[in-house]
Amino acid sequence: MTGTGVGTVDAALLEERLREHHRRCLPALSRLRLLAKDGWEADVDVRAATGEVMIELGAAGAILLDALSGSVRRDALAHFLGCRVNRLKVVAEHAVATADAGNLPMLRRLLYQFHALAEAMWKVQLGLQSHKTRPMIEIGSPFRGQVRGRPRTVTHSPTRWNAG
């Protein structure tokens, strides 16, 4: 992988930088979870906490995209991460507006949603930097569908195969 055009980025260094940004946003995510759980007693500034998470996610995304400069995957990844960030930003804005309005039940739902989306984003970012092979799904694996509790069997009509 190439970095900022000044050489190569070590995979271990890249992972450490991404994990550092993840560690930096954990306190803000914890404060938001506390507010969702305990309500107004938590005294959390929703705008500041969601902003911290967004900044760290943005920084980690920039590092990841910078490491992939020159790669054919970079543009697709940039689009994918951009869509995820936009979705997270919309939820954050709704959470801030809901907190300002004082609607605790709706705020709880939005904070849980924000937390889930942020954690999913971190999983994507931390998972993309590794070059491990993806697990293959075998034909007889448990991922194959079942029909009403019975194993799925595929039968082909002999006339269909001979009709060609």
Side-chain angles (χ1 to χ4, degrees):
M1 288 184 286
T2 60
T4 58
V6 187
T8 60
V9 174
D10 182 27
L13 177 63
L14 176 62
E15 182 176 358
E16 180 56 35
R17 290 176 68 192
L18 291 174
R19 289 193 183 283
E20 179 60 29
H21 285 289
H22 182 242
R23 281 189 290 270
R24 287 183 195 167
C25 91
L26 287 177
L29 282 173
S30 295
R31 288 193 309 270
L32 291 171
R33 292 279 296 193
L34 184 66
L35 174 61
K37 182 180 174 229
D38 293 343
W40 301 120
E41 295 84 28
D43 192 31
V44 174
D45 183 5
V46 175
R47 183 180 311 276
T50 55
E52 286 178 43
V53 173
M54 296 299 294
I55 287 170
E56 295 302 331
L57 277 167
I63 289 170
L64 188 60
L65 291 175
D66 186 43
L68 291 174
S69 66
S71 171
V72 295
R73 295 176 23 181
R74 187 190 185 285
D75 291 339
L77 179 61
H79 177 73
F80 176 75
L81 292 177
C83 291
R84 291 267 196 169
V85 166
N86 285 339
R87 184 172 179 201
L88 195 59
K89 193 181 296 185
V90 167
V91 174
E93 290 171 358
H94 284 146
V96 168
T98 303
D100 290 343
N103 185 347
L104 186 59
M106 179 62 79
L107 179 62
R108 283 185 169 136
R109 186 182 72 75
L110 289 168
L111 291 179
Y112 284 127
Q113 184 180 10
F114 181 84
H115 189 275
L117 289 171
E119 284 298 322
M121 185 80 168
W122 281 115
K123 285 181 183 180
V124 166
Q125 288 181 346
L126 292 170
L128 282 174
Q129 57 83 31
S130 66
H131 296 287
K132 299 175 185 167
T133 59
R134 298 173 77 183
M136 300 277 296
I137 298 177
E138 296 178 17
I139 292 175
S141 75
F143 292 104
R144 290 187 64 169
Q146 291 186 349
V147 179
R148 296 184 189 180
R150 297 185 313 246
R152 184 177 177 184
T153 58
V154 178
T155 58
H156 298 285
S157 167
T159 57
R160 179 176 176 185
W161 290 106
N162 294 332

